[in-house]
Amino acid sequence: VTTRVHLTPPKLLRLLEEVPDICGLKASFSPFEELVRYVKRLPDSVGVFPGSILALYPGYSLGMRGAIHPPSSPFPERCVTLFRAVKEGKLAEAQTVNHEIVAILDVIQRFTGEHGRAVFLEAMRLRGLPVKRFPRWECLPFTDRERKEFREALEAVGVKAALP
């Protein structure tokens, strides 16, 4: 659930005094510099999770624990590969996978303007996930031509479709 509450590091420290069991923070719209301030100010018991997978590559070495990035949900294997490479210090591999994710997200972005979050429904369906409805609200559906273009664009950046 998006709370739309901006918890600065000092506010979160005060909240931790009342609720010491807080173990993580997803900072969805925070600039990178603010993410670093969270890591530096919060106790090690509180993991900082950027709201973008693109912050994982530069942020892990600074203490960020991972990333929670819904737009990359249809491509979990890339995210897991990136996380493992960063965690194991395989920086060349991490950089390569990070670039692959950027290319995939560029394709997603090309279709988001017209279709909103329905682009994720199409991506998940192409990947073979039996999604019946996503998002909860109506979005302009893909035409057969757009679906073909989307599939071809994803395949061009290395995403294998499970469905014909």
Side-chain angles (χ1 to χ4, degrees):
V1 173
T2 301
T3 62
R4 303 207 188 279
V5 173
H6 184 74
L7 291 174
T8 62
K11 285 180 189 175
L12 191 53
L13 285 169
R14 285 196 312 272
L15 184 59
L16 277 166
E17 291 172 8
E18 297 295 321
V19 187
D21 292 339
I22 294 172
C23 60
L25 167 76
K26 177 191 177 199
S28 294
F29 301 104
S30 297
F32 191 80
E33 294 79 11
E34 186 173 43
L35 295 168
V36 173
R37 283 194 297 274
Y38 283 118
V39 170
K40 290 180 181 273
R41 302 263 327 260
L42 298 176
D44 289 340
S45 61
V46 179
V48 175
F49 297 86
S52 172
I53 192 70
L54 301 179
L56 180 61
Y57 178 67
Y60 189 83
S61 68
L62 299 171
M64 293 172 210
R65 302 267 180 85
I68 301 170
H69 187 236
S72 58
S73 296
F75 318 100
E77 72 284 356
R78 292 293 198 323
C79 299
V80 169
T81 299
L82 175 61
F83 179 77
R84 287 182 177 155
V86 168
K87 186 175 180 181
E88 295 168 8
K90 299 176 180 175
L91 297 185
E93 179 182 355
Q95 183 180 29
T96 298
V97 178
N98 194 64
H99 287 262
E100 291 171 2
I101 291 170
V102 167
I104 291 167
L105 293 175
D106 283 346
V107 171
I108 294 289
Q109 187 61 39
R110 274 192 278 163
F111 290 85
T112 301
E114 182 78 16
H115 298 285
R117 292 183 178 194
V119 72
F120 302 111
L121 169 67
E122 290 301 326
M124 288 185 239
R125 284 182 177 166
L126 281 173
R127 301 298 312 275
L129 299 169
V131 179
K132 293 180 183 173
R133 182 166 166 82
F134 181 89
R136 292 176 292 204
W137 52 86
E138 292 298 321
C139 292
L140 185 63
F142 277 58
T143 64
D144 290 340
R145 181 183 56 78
E146 290 169 326
R147 192 171 286 113
K148 181 179 184 285
E149 289 173 6
F150 183 55
R151 177 195 182 103
E152 289 171 352
L154 286 174
E155 287 176 346
V157 295
V159 175
K160 307 237 184 311
L163 300 176

